[in-house]
């Protein structure tokens, strides 16, 4: 006689697993670049099809050098965040009759990778969507997308 699988009662107690019943929160990083806005649109489509919450996240950079020179850094990044929210609201209003998506906008401060990682953890994101880097400097430091993938804590989609 062959061996039978263990009885259901012998299994370990159920633990919560992120994403096992479909995503509840899909997070997209936005910074105003064309690739980040494409990532937001892609994430919106995923959120709509999965009936998930779309969490749009803007990470306000902390520019120590600009602050040292007297540049109004906080005001500038705040204006960018307000502009992004307005652009997102306008886009959402345009497609309102076609489909609905629940969405929230969040801002975090810090460098892009650390801010997005903290946001994904805080929001309990089931998936992270970001645009491909448009900066030449990422070759030296590593792009935010590559760093998110290497962290291995969430499924990451990089949109060109």
């Amino acid at each position: 006689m062959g061996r039978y699988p263990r009885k259901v009662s012998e299994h370990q107690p159920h633990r919560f697993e992120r994403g096992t019943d479909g995503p509840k929160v899909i997070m997209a990083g936005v910074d105003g670049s064309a690739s980040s806005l494409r990532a937001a649109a892609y994430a919106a489509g995923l959120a709509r099809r999965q009936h998930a919450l779309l969490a749009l996240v803007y990470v306000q950079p902390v520019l120590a050098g600009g602050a040292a020179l007297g540049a109004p850094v906080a005001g500038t990044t705040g204006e960018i965040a307000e502009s992004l929210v307005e652009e997102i609201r306008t886009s959402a209003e345009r497609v309102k009759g076609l489909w609905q998506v629940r969405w929230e906008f969040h801002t975090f401060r810090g460098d892009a990778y650390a801010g997005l990682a903290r946001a994904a953890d805080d929001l309990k994101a089931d998936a992270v969507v970001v645009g491909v880097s448009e900066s030449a400097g990422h070759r030296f430091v590593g792009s935010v997308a590559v760093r998110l993938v290497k962290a291995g804590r969430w499924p990451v989609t990089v949109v060109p």
Side-chain angles (χ1 to χ4, degrees), residues 55-116:
L56 299 166
V57 174
Y58 170 63
V59 179
Q60 295 184 15
V62 178
L63 305 172
L69 297 172
V73 174
T76 302
T77 59
E79 289 172 14
I80 292 170
E82 288 175 24
S83 172
L84 285 169
V85 169
E86 189 54 40
E87 189 169 344
I88 291 162
R89 280 194 182 116
T90 301
S91 295
E93 193 61 35
R94 263 195 311 253
V95 296
K96 189 168 122 178
L98 300 175
W99 49 271
Q100 294 284 328
V101 125
R102 292 179 304 122
W103 64 278
E104 300 173 348
F105 185 83
H106 301 271
T107 59
F108 288 80
R109 292 182 55 83
D111 90 304
Y113 166 75
L116 289 174

Side-chain angles (χ1 to χ4, degrees), residues 26 29 35 38 40 45 51 56 62 87 89 91 98 116 121 129 131 135-136 148 156:
I26 296 174
S35 67
R38 285 190 299 272
H51 306 289
L56 299 166
V62 178
E87 189 169 344
R89 280 194 182 116
S91 295
L98 300 175
L116 289 174
D121 286 339
V129 181
S135 167
L148 288 167
V156 178

Side-chain angles (χ1 to χ4, degrees), residues 121-140:
D121 286 339
D122 289 356
L123 298 169
K124 294 182 176 39
D126 293 300
V128 176
V129 181
V130 292
V132 69
S133 175
E134 295 181 354
S135 167
H138 78 266
R139 290 188 183 106
F140 301 108

Side-chain angles (χ1 to χ4, degrees), residues 4-26:
Y4 294 97
R6 291 185 288 169
K7 294 180 186 173
V8 173
S9 61
E10 293 177 19
H11 287 269
Q12 294 180 352
H14 183 268
R15 290 182 333 143
F16 171 77
E17 285 185 49
R18 200 175 279 172
T20 56
D21 295 327
K24 300 288 183 230
V25 178
I26 296 174

